[in-house]
Structure formats: structure tokens, C-alpha cells
Amino acid sequence: MSLRRSRDITSLVGAAREGDPRAVARLVTLVEDGDPLLREISAALAPYAVRAQVIGLTGSPGVGKSTTTNELVRAYRSAGLRVGVLAVDPSSPFTGGAILGDRVRMQDHATDPGVYIRSMANRGALGGLSEAALQAALLMDASGRDIVLLETVGVGQAEVEVASLADTTVVMLAPGMGDAIQAVKAGILEVADVFVVNKADRDGADATYHDIQGMIGLGEREAGQWRPPVVKAVAARGEGIDGIIGAIAKHRAWLDEHGELQRRRERRAAAEIEGIALGVLRARIGTLRHDEALPTLAAEVAAGELDPFAAADRLLSGLDHASDRDG
Ligand code: GDP
């Protein structure tokens, strides 16, 4: 069925708001495809997408994110909360589904209607996965999730960017992975609100714990600023999960107390607006390509008759004229 009529959109939005997993799945697919109908859907859902607590989870592959996510879902579910899980792979050129789906070991929750699980990989429909992930998180929020877990596969720049869009960003480390150093390199210390040293059953866990404590201690912090706690866990045995949940709750309370939650959500909204605007710009430039504007400029630049900055200026002023005509 194609979604041409507003009536279809209204009923889809209605079903999503009721928490119907198929409706949510459809909506997330529309996000991935950068479907033009998103504009209308987003407008219909925006008033409802302000409730969920968004928790980012990042760390090197193999550190135990899936295992931990699974345990967190279990814990939040037993507290009666509805949970959405979004597993995001910003560096993969492949589409989501099977690849990430296999990775997310969530069979425990497969039949629970209170849990919605989805994976996303980079499709670039709107130009960036972080924007797509944001929109998908917003849809999950609007569909009545209390908690949205945003899990990324690694600790590269793109992953850090996604995770940092959360209300609370949890960074996972494990002994013997050189993680503490890598975390610093990826700029993770700046975005981490909670550190988890997982695989605390392994040798070297104490060393990793002290390494990261040391690095947190070195960071400059003004009075009243949040100091990320470090929690030890053995996710594979479900140990330390309460500690992680406690640390997340504490951070959330701190955000509320300091007006930070609002600031973070505004930052998230800014990233979203920027992403949409860039997508629109890209699409318009794409139109110009068919208009011969870009090839003509490219030929001039290649021939050394025009510098690329001047060419870009002309391309952009062409956009202005095009939108004047449209408007
Ligand atoms: P991810 O790639 O970060 O999502 O990591 P996974 O959750 O897939 O875990 C990677 C491997 O580590 C799996 O084989 C898990 O069973 C194992 N694992 C997870 N947590 C622990 C733990 O606390 N201790 C030990 N020894 N192994 C763990």
C-alpha cells in the first residue's frame, strides 16, 4: 500500500501512537528512505515526541553493548516501562536489517510487545545517519516508548556523534582492549555521562577501572558540573546492571536539576534541523545538476577558467534564484 492520502498518514500516525509495532516499523522505514511524506508525519507526531528518555550506548565492538542492552531492556521492562532499541551502525555501507539484526541479540524480547527493536545502517537518504537515527528515536518516543536505547556498534567519530545526541551517554570499556586510550582519541571523554567497565570478571578490569578514573580526574570540571561515575559490570551474568541503571537515573536527575535536559534537547533539535536543511540543500543542488548548472561550472573549473570557490558561490546563487522562482 502506498501512503498517498492524508487519511492513510493519519491512521498510520494513530496506530504508531497506540504503540503498534508494525506502524512504528513503517515509519522508521520512511525515515530511512527519506520519504517526502515524512514532513507531514513529523508534523503530526512532533507534539507527542517529548517524553522518552533517550540513552546512548557506545563502545568498541565486543565490549558487551548488545549483552548490556539486553539486560537493560529486561530491567526496564520489569519496571513496567516501554522500551525502544535503535542499533545504529554509522560506518557500515550496508543497509540495516540482517547484518545488525543478527548482532543485536534480543531474542529474549522478540515476543514482548512492550519492546521495539530496530537496526539502522548508513543509507544517507537525508545525508546523515545521525539525523536519521534522531528522527527514528523521535518516532519511537511518539509511539509511547518511555525509554529509547540508542546503541552504536563502535567508537568512531560518527558513533560518538550519535551517542552524544542522547540525554545520557553511556560509554562501555572492557579490560585488555586499550579502550581507555581509544576513548580519549575518539573524544569520548567529553561526551560520556556514565562509564561502564564491563567484563569485570576478567583480569585487568581493575586496571581499566583505575585508568578511566584517572582520566576523569584529569579533566577540568567547574563546581556543580557532572562527574561521570564508573560502574563495573559483568553483563554476561547480569551483574552490575542495577548499578548502570542507578547511574543513568542519577544523571537524569542532575540534568533536570540543572536545566541541562532542555539544553541537550535543544542541541538535539538543532542537529535535526541542520540535517534536514542540509538534505534539502543537497537535493536542490542535485536538481541543478540536471539543469546543467553544475556540469557547466565543473567544465570551467577543470579548464582553469574559474576557481572552485567562485563556482560554488555561483551554484548557491543559482539555488536562490531557483527558490525565488518556486516561491
Ligand atoms: P558488543 O559487540 O559490544 O555488542 O558486544 P556483545 O554484547 O556482543 O558481547 C561480545 C562478547 O562478550 C559475547 O560473546 C558476550 O557473551 C561476551 N560478554 C559480554 N559481557 C561479558 C562479561 O561481562 N564478561 C565476559 N567474560 N564476557 C562477556
Side-chain angles (χ1 to χ4, degrees):
M1 186 187 77
S2 66
L3 274 176
R4 286 187 214 294
R5 292 186 307 273
S6 295
R7 196 155 45 94
D8 296 335
I9 294 171
T10 310
S11 69
L12 179 60
V13 165
R17 285 208 50 221
E18 302 279 304
D20 175 359
R22 277 164 313 174
V24 182
R26 289 273 307 280
L27 290 177
V28 176
T29 303
L30 294 178
V31 169
E32 284 189 312
D33 293 345
D35 196 294
L37 287 169
L38 272 181
R39 177 179 287 258
E40 212 173 316
I41 290 168
S42 181
L45 283 174
Y48 309 105
V50 288
R51 248 172 31 91
Q53 185 179 359
V54 182
I55 300 166
L57 199 67
T58 190
S60 303
V63 78
K65 294 182 298 298
S66 289
T67 313
T68 304
T69 299
N70 204 24
E71 291 301 320
L72 289 175
V73 170
R74 187 194 315 284
Y76 284 126
R77 284 301 291 145
S78 55
L81 299 172
R82 290 193 292 176
V83 185
V85 178
L86 203 56
V88 189
D89 185 356
S91 42
S92 164
F94 304 107
T95 54
I99 302 155
L100 269 167
D102 289 346
R103 222 189 61 76
V104 187
R105 279 172 282 280
M106 292 280 148
Q107 289 91 336
D108 295 7
H109 308 293
T111 55
D112 178 354
V115 181
Y116 177 77
I117 297 156
R118 177 65 173 247
S119 50
M120 285 181 101
N122 202 354
R123 309 185 99 172
L126 268 179
L129 182 66
S130 45
E131 290 84 26
L134 261 184
Q135 285 203 308
L138 180 142
L139 292 175
M140 287 194 179
D141 185 348
S143 76
R145 305 293 113 173
D146 301 296
I147 304 276
V148 175
L149 288 167
L150 204 56
E151 183 195 331
T152 67
V153 298
V155 279
Q157 282 297 341
E159 281 95 339
V160 170
E161 193 186 315
V162 170
S164 68
L165 294 168
D167 297 332
T168 298
T169 302
V170 178
V171 174
M172 292 191 63
L173 311 166
M177 295 179 72
D179 263 347
I181 312 280
Q182 216 183 323
V184 174
K185 279 196 196 144
I188 257 182
L189 277 185
E190 287 78 21
V191 303
D193 301 307
V194 173
F195 283 99
V196 174
V197 175
N198 191 39
K199 307 196 181 182
D201 53 328
R202 294 236 176 122
D203 284 348
D206 283 335
T208 304
Y209 179 86
H210 290 298
D211 278 355
I212 199 68
Q213 284 285 17
M215 288 191 198
I216 294 167
L218 291 177
E220 297 226 348
R221 213 164 279 111
E222 289 162 25
Q225 255 187 305
W226 176 254
R227 187 184 201 281
V230 186
V231 182
K232 284 192 205 170
V234 186
R237 296 202 299 247
E239 291 170 24
I241 302 303
D242 289 348
I244 299 173
I245 285 183
I248 292 169
K250 232 175 169 176
H251 180 249
R252 171 59 195 259
W254 181 88
L255 288 174
D256 280 336
E257 256 168 52
H258 291 77
E260 264 296 303
L261 190 65
Q262 187 60 19
R263 215 180 61 80
R264 283 198 182 206
R265 292 190 168 179
E266 282 170 13
R267 199 174 68 193
R268 197 149 81 208
E272 200 176 359
I273 296 166
E274 214 174 278
I276 291 170
L278 281 173
V280 169
L281 262 186
R282 248 185 233 113
R284 287 218 194 131
I285 289 175
T287 319
L288 286 190
R289 197 174 297 155
H290 300 301
D291 219 44
E292 298 289 308
L294 189 56
T296 307
L297 291 168
E300 287 179 43
V301 171
E305 293 161 8
L306 187 66
D307 74 87
F309 285 91
D313 284 345
R314 278 204 218 163
L315 190 70
L316 290 173
S317 72
L319 283 182
D320 291 344
H321 294 144
S323 54
D324 288 348
R325 276 203 307 276
D326 295 347

